[in-house]
Amino acid sequence: MDSANEASLTASNIVKAISNLPKNRWFEYIAESTTNKVRVVSVTMPEGPIVIERSKSKKRSPISTAMVWRIANAFQADTPINFDRVLGASYNTRSTLETLLAHTPEFYWCKPKRIELADSTQKIKDGHKHLVWRPQAPHKNGVLEKFETDLVISEIPSSSLVYEALEIPSTIGSTGIDIDIQRRHVQMQIALVAIGKQLGYRSWVARNDQGIKYGNKSVGQLNGVVNKLEEISIMRSFGEAIRAALHIDCMWFKDGRSIPAIMEVEHSTGVVTGLARMKSLKDQLPDVVTRYVIVAPDEDRAKVLKEANAPQFKDLQAKFLPYSAVEELYYLCQKRNLTPNSVTMEFLDCYMSPCLERN
């Protein structure tokens, strides 16, 4: 990594750091109020799970790969994060992961001040425990180091996205596809349609998903959704491309003459399936400049990057857009008066990461 600003943290970084901690040792929690300790029982490389044991209960528990990825995605260099705030009550091993991570060289614990709002009056008060990632200033392995800081945290109240009810056809279940997985898949498509609409784009949604009911409408009836690809002038110019695009999860069209993004949501099928579908479409659109994007759960980042770097898919120059980024953008579209002139595709590029490995 060239600098702290360019540093990015992954689940494999975290798992490797924890695997390098001194072996067969009990580690103290950051909070002085507890006498409990934790030790590492086993580590599965490269991304977990990590099995831990607590000194009091002697109970062994796994720290899941999904949890490690969720924390990895929350960190930015030199910016404190609150584990409880990031993970909520979702994981009962969150304090053990925090403890182990704090003992690795690049992580420090700290207590930044916090801004408390009371009757429109701001007060600076003692803060809560945070962890900060300092890749440029590692400390000794296996010890807790406190980072003294004058930083002040202003905590934005947690916000929620609400999706309307989805009515998944019973035929979906008969094909062996998990209904909950299909529901999450469609929620991402709906969010992408809303984001595209905010940018002034019309969206194509895979033909087999357009009949799914969302609220009191079918997905195909949502504002901004294209019902027939033949309606789009750029698609009419490439006849065979229409056939190749029918099952693409989401495509954005600008004025019918350009395609800002072609996206595959990989929640219910393998990454290779989506890449292959986009590659087939690219072969029919040889001169069209666009973005080929894999939208997938945050914890699937490593899998997406691995498959996108396969020789047959490299010319896609695919990008990875995690679910958390989609929902952050969707939230902005729901809660703020964004207009096509105020949000550009280049702004959305900041939420995507290139899949191609640098030579």
Side-chain angles (χ1 to χ4, degrees), residues 17 21 48 65 86-87 106 134 142 151 154 159 173 207 215 226 240 249 270 296 309 330 343 353 357:
L21 286 171
T65 297
V86 172
L87 297 174
E106 294 186 357
R134 305 187 68 214
L151 292 173
S154 178
S159 302
R207 184 172 64 180
V226 175
E240 288 301 314
D249 286 323
N309 275 281
Y330 187 27
V343 183
S353 57
E357 295 172 345

Side-chain angles (χ1 to χ4, degrees), residues 8 158 283:
S8 60
S158 59
D283 291 342

Side-chain angles (χ1 to χ4, degrees), residues 19-314:
S19 72
N20 287 335
L21 286 171
K23 302 295 187 282
N24 301 315
R25 190 176 128 190
W26 292 98
F27 295 96
E28 296 180 351
Y29 283 75
I30 300 171
E32 297 177 353
S33 58
T34 179
T35 57
N36 206 6
K37 296 181 181 179
V38 60
R39 74 180 183 93
V40 178
V41 176
S42 64
V43 178
T44 301
M45 303 294 285
E47 297 182 354
I50 300 166
V51 178
I52 58 91
E53 181 181 356
R54 297 177 180 88
S55 61
K56 286 188 175 180
S57 66
K58 299 298 181 183
K59 181 180 178 181
R60 295 185 176 186
S61 305
I63 297 173
S64 69
T65 297
M67 178 180 175
V68 176
W69 261 117
R70 190 163 169 182
I71 282 296
N73 286 326
F75 271 108
Q76 293 181 348
D78 302 313
T79 302
I81 71 161
N82 184 321
F83 258 59
D84 290 340
R85 194 171 180 84
V86 172
L87 297 174
S90 302
Y91 303 92
N92 60 13
T93 52
R94 58 190 183 277
S95 62
T96 59
L97 176 58
E98 180 185 47
T99 294
L100 294 172
L101 204 51
H103 282 84
T104 65
E106 294 186 357
F107 291 86
Y108 295 73
W109 72 278
C110 63
K111 279 194 171 183
K113 299 291 186 179
R114 63 187 174 93
I115 297 174
E116 183 178 272
L117 294 178
D119 299 325
S120 74
T121 302
Q122 292 188 356
K123 295 180 180 179
I124 306 296
K125 308 196 80 172
D126 289 338
H128 304 296
K129 167 173 52 71
H130 285 62
L131 235 58
V132 59
W133 177 42
R134 305 187 68 214
Q136 304 301 317
H139 61 76
K140 184 178 177 181
N141 191 30
V143 301
L144 284 174
E145 287 283 350
K146 185 177 182 181
F147 175 54
E148 300 295 344
T149 178
D150 293 327
L151 292 173
V152 178
I153 303 291
S154 178
E155 295 181 338
I156 302 170
S158 59
S159 302
S160 299
L161 276 173
V162 177
Y163 292 97
E164 293 188 43
L166 278 168
E167 184 180 326
I168 307 293
S170 58
T171 52
I172 294 288
S174 65
T175 64
I177 298 175
D178 186 283
I179 293 294
D180 288 335
I181 288 177
Q182 180 65 14
R183 180 175 288 110
R184 190 66 175 134
H185 184 278
V186 177
Q187 285 171 343
M188 286 296 107
Q189 289 169 292
I190 288 163
L192 291 169
V193 168
I195 295 165
K197 184 173 179 293
Q198 211 70 48
L199 286 138
Y201 302 152
R202 298 182 70 193
S203 298
W204 167 257
V205 173
R207 184 172 64 180
N208 49 308
D209 294 326
Q210 290 197 17
I212 292 173
K213 294 291 185 181
Y214 180 65
N216 59 358
K217 292 182 178 180
S218 67
V219 171
Q221 293 174 323
L222 294 177
N223 194 3
V225 172
V226 175
N227 295 125
K228 294 183 179 180
L229 286 168
E230 290 84 356
E231 298 174 15
I232 307 299
S233 57
I234 191 171
M235 296 302 292
R236 290 198 302 269
S237 303
F238 300 91
E240 288 301 314
I242 292 177
R243 185 190 304 273
L246 288 177
H247 298 292
I248 294 289
D249 286 323
C250 187
M251 297 174 65
W252 285 336
F253 298 103
K254 182 178 181 180
D255 302 324
R257 295 190 295 272
S258 65
I259 309 175
I262 296 169
M263 296 164 284
E264 278 290 296
V265 180
E266 293 308 323
H267 195 96
S268 57
T269 58
V271 176
V272 172
T273 303
L275 290 166
R277 193 175 286 139
M278 292 194 297
K279 180 65 169 67
S280 296
L281 179 55
K282 178 178 172 57
D283 291 342
Q284 303 301 327
L285 299 170
D287 302 320
V288 173
V289 177
T290 186
R291 296 164 182 80
Y292 292 94
V293 182
I294 291 289
V295 181
D298 295 53
E299 60 268 22
D300 286 350
R301 181 179 184 273
K303 180 170 67 175
V304 172
L305 269 58
K306 177 184 175 183
E307 301 296 354
N309 275 281
Q312 66 269 35
F313 300 131
K314 280 199 170 185

